[in-house]
Amino acid sequence: MRCSYCSLACQFDVDTDDIGIIGINYQKGRLCARGCANEILLKDGRRLSYPILENLSARWNDAIMKVAEAIRRYKGKIGITVGAEVTIDEFELIKGLSQTLGAKIYPFNLEGGFGFSYRLEGVEPGSVTELRKVSRLVTISDVFSVGPVLAKEILDFRLRKETRHYHIDSLPSRVHHFADETFSLNTGDEVRSLIDFARENPVIKDLRDHPGLIIASANPGRFTDPIGYSLAVQYLARTIKAKIIFIAPNLGWPGDGNLDELFALIKKGDIKLVLNFGDEIFNFRERIKGVRLITTSSFKVETRRNWVILPVPVNCEKKGRIPGIDGDITIEGTTPPSGVYPIEKIISLLGEELKISIKPAMVRREVFVDEAFLHDRITGSKSKTGKDRFLLFGFSNPLNFRDLYDYPIILLVNPRDLVRLRLSDYNETDVSSRDYRVEVMVRRNSMIPEGTVAIATDSLRTWRLFNITGGFLTPSEVRIWKGRST
Ligand code: SF4
């Protein structure tokens, strides 16, 4: 079995007895806290195993009839939203459904899922085992927050003679003190400073003269221009002739429009029905007020009268292809509880009820771009903050994954800012955007630039603090409230 919460797709087994699941078997390697969450999700007592109609449990037949009725009624005013966790096979069918219904797809690409979507010619993905052959390693951003298997390979690389490890980053991470040499990028202006590094830094000669590998991580809310960042990493790879491993927590999907557009259309009344696959939508309840929602969910959620909720498998129960770091991987999945239907089956039942044929559609997941496109991304649009405001970035902390572990949401703050805010290490306070507020525990961190703070985006509760730009979660301006010490 494979964990599908990031592109590393670590392996594990699920042990069962006659009654059900006993637990996760780690024989095939270690998992990070996100991977271990598979066990919590599999055993979670809040699993949904029947459809919900008008706040009540319903039979599948009735639910499918109701969904078909809504689709007929709102034809021409339907938007489809897709979460990052659907498999490739599921997405191809959802795409087929969207083409048949003439409805646009607005994907939740918020989980840093750009990876290799935009490609520069001449750059290839690498694999973890290649670390055993190269003598130079460049890590970019925090590559240690997930991937114990990867961390072990990096450790083995470091123990080999005549290897060098360079780390490039704009925010603090566990890799800073581990590498032979660390280079800082300007926070909020990573694209330009990474390109400058590739063009001018003296270390480039050493990297060109030795076989190397780049491991770059991507996190939601981490970069002002996520696509530009991905291209700048590829530009560096091409300059030093190295392959790239992109670690992204789930890959997103190409759509016909982005979330900003969808929310604007809902506000104008041009979208009346949202068909959703995935559970990110529940974090945007306020933005979909007034529309009819038909959504999948693996768990019981607080519902509204005009919502239809259809129970689907959790990630590790799914079968099919998922995107990995160097190509697609087929996952086997374990058996879901009875009453839970895979997305493929739901779409097939819907096709029968609507008397339409829904076929999987080919999905182009890569777009090749040229130097001119990259040049346009180097805008240097470093965000400015106002008085008493901070620029908020996202970082990865798997212990906050979906709030499954009882772990506080940490806000990393520069020591000078902490004094200015009259706060101390471990104090609890609130951080807020224009219309949203979250309780956090502040942690002092001298590597965070003044005027900048960072928060874990593994907790979906933090997402609404960020901006949504082109479908991606991007840094935003926030306030930190003084006082309320522990
Ligand atoms: S590193 Fe990625 S694939 Fe491996 S356990 Fe963690 S989230 Fe899952």
Side-chain angles (χ1 to χ4, degrees), residues 47 78 93 106 140 143 187 248 257 297 340 347 353 366 381 466:
R47 284 300 296 273
I78 303 172
L93 258 180
Y106 304 88
I140 308 175
V143 297
T187 314
S297 176
V340 168
I347 292 180
E353 185 65 33
E366 289 174 346
S381 58
F466 288 89

Side-chain angles (χ1 to χ4, degrees), residues 43-78:
K43 291 178 167 177
D44 197 313
R46 296 168 304 142
R47 284 300 296 273
L48 186 65
S49 54
Y50 43 80
I52 303 279
L53 270 185
E54 296 180 355
N55 293 342
L56 296 170
S57 60
R59 292 181 313 158
W60 268 104
N61 281 355
D62 297 335
I64 293 291
M65 266 170 55
K66 205 77 180 168
V67 174
E69 198 182 294
I71 288 175
R72 282 191 208 102
R73 178 169 171 201
Y74 293 111
K75 196 166 186 294
K77 296 204 163 193
I78 303 172

Side-chain angles (χ1 to χ4, degrees), residues 66 68 74 89 147 172 175 188 190 195 274 284 290 317 366 393 398:
K66 205 77 180 168
Y74 293 111
D89 303 281
V175 198
E190 288 84 359
I195 298 283
V274 171
F284 295 91
E317 291 165 347
E366 289 174 346
F393 289 85

